[in-house]
Amino acid sequence: MKDHLVRVTFTTDELRKMPMVHSGFFVTSCLAINEIGLSLRLFLMSMNTRSKERPISDSALEEYAFCQHQMVERSLGSKVVEYLNMFGDYQTRCQRAKDTTLAAMIDPVMDTVRNSIRVGPAYKLAEWYRNKTSSHYNVSEITDLMMKGDIADEHNIYLHKQVGNASYLLGEQILLAKLAEGGKSPEDTAAMLTAYGKWVEDAARYVVDVHHSFSVALFQTFFPDKIGQRFEINPEPHLVAKLSESALPIFWDFSDLIRKRP
């Protein structure tokens, strides 16, 4: 498969010569958006794992696949919340510095964020996940969920001779109680789960587009004469995946590693 890339190169000196309020955000946004892009790919692959075209016959493996998707989804949503916070801080720093250089791009984005993205139960859930159960874990909050759950609910861990194939789903299953808070019915809980997944995907795609638009605006403003280098690539097959087909596995097959041992 032949394709093309455009390489745009910046020296450290060039980055330093930009106003710091912009250069600092640009570098940090590049860091964040690559992680969001990677998490979005994992999210879409985990959806494919559970697609109707790929039925899972074993209930234990369905639990694996479901919880894996919840983990990827929660991680992606938390990164998006963090990015939205960072972009809001960027607008504030620009305003404090009385720098309106990129205001025509920044202000409409934050209007959309405030009016359409940082609203509703799905966003509130994403924010709670980011604060309590992603990267940093709030033991007391998670314990509270366990104490509020139905005493008859069952939660599983699955052990395997290869530790990499074990899964401690109990924690993820306890966390689902957050969706049922307030006495929600099973139908309302399922609807909340669906709404949250849609929010995560839509918001992730939005911030990826925002970063791209911001980068273009930044290039045009501070580097109007910079020219990218377009070149052809021919990536090996294992580097390219089809969006509609690639699934995120839940198990590792270690047999090839065992055969290679001396």
Side-chain angles (χ1 to χ4, degrees):
M1 180 192 106
K2 290 186 177 181
D3 207 338
H4 292 84
L5 291 173
V6 177
R7 181 186 290 116
V8 184
T9 303
F10 301 88
T11 66
T12 304
D13 185 56
E14 287 177 317
L15 295 173
R16 287 177 177 173
K17 286 179 178 177
M18 274 195 292
M20 192 176 296
V21 68
H22 300 298
S23 61
F25 176 78
F26 175 56
V27 173
T28 309
S29 184
C30 287
L31 177 69
I33 214 66
N34 275 348
E35 289 192 6
I36 289 172
L38 174 59
S39 293
L40 181 56
R41 288 197 292 274
L42 293 174
F43 172 81
L44 296 173
M45 290 171 67
S46 70
M47 288 179 64
N48 285 344
T49 302
R50 302 183 64 240
S51 69
K52 294 179 180 179
E53 291 74 23
R54 296 179 176 86
I56 300 175
S57 57
D58 191 288
S59 60
L61 299 184
E62 171 57 32
E63 282 187 71
Y64 265 71
F66 174 77
C67 287
Q68 175 177 260
H69 180 67
Q70 294 305 115
M71 287 182 270
V72 173
E73 184 176 75
R74 188 175 72 251
S75 176
L76 174 58
S78 298
K79 286 178 171 59
V80 170
V81 170
E82 193 67 32
Y83 190 91
L84 296 175
N85 292 343
M86 183 176 70
F87 203 94
D89 290 344
Y90 172 50
Q91 183 191 47
T92 299
R93 288 194 297 272
C94 287
Q95 291 171 342
R96 287 175 179 170
K98 294 181 170 55
D99 186 323
T100 60
T101 309
L102 296 177
M105 181 265 170
I106 298 169
D107 294 348
V109 167
M110 283 310 300
D111 286 344
T112 298
V113 169
R114 280 188 286 265
N115 297 327
S116 302
I117 298 179
R118 275 182 172 169
V119 294
Y123 168 71
K124 291 296 184 184
L125 181 61
E127 188 177 42
W128 188 88
Y129 282 155
R130 178 262 180 193
N131 292 336
K132 309 297 184 182
T133 66
S134 183
S135 296
H136 42 274
Y137 300 91
N138 189 306
V139 175
S140 61
E141 293 272 358
I142 296 171
T143 303
D144 285 345
L145 288 177
M146 178 186 68
M147 299 305 293
K148 292 175 183 176
D150 190 314
I151 60 173
D153 285 348
E154 295 181 344
H155 312 287
N156 299 316
I157 64 173
Y158 292 100
L159 305 179
H160 190 275
K161 64 180 180 180
Q162 296 290 350
V163 175
N165 284 333
S167 192
Y168 300 86
L169 306 181
L170 178 151
E172 205 65 34
Q173 291 166 340
I174 289 288
L175 195 57
L176 287 173
K178 181 66 181 176
L179 301 173
E181 280 187 331
K184 291 188 181 72
S185 68
E187 293 76 17
D188 288 342
T189 300
M192 181 70 250
L193 189 62
T194 300
Y196 172 67
K198 185 177 187 308
W199 183 93
V200 169
E201 183 175 356
D202 290 348
R205 292 180 184 276
Y206 179 73
V207 299
V208 168
D209 287 343
V210 164
H211 173 83
H212 176 73
S213 298
F214 165 75
S215 299
V216 171
L218 182 139
F219 300 160
Q220 292 174 341
T221 301
F222 297 108
F223 305 100
D225 298 324
K226 186 174 284 292
I227 299 174
Q229 177 192 5
R230 188 174 188 268
F231 61 98
E232 185 178 277
I233 58 172
N234 189 16
E236 287 75 16
H238 71 278
L239 298 177
V240 181
K242 292 186 177 180
L243 184 59
S244 62
E245 297 178 3
S246 299
L248 188 62
I250 60 173
F251 269 87
W252 290 104
D253 181 352
F254 293 91
S255 59
D256 58 334
L257 297 180
I258 294 173
R259 286 196 300 269
K260 290 178 182 178
R261 291 176 180 171

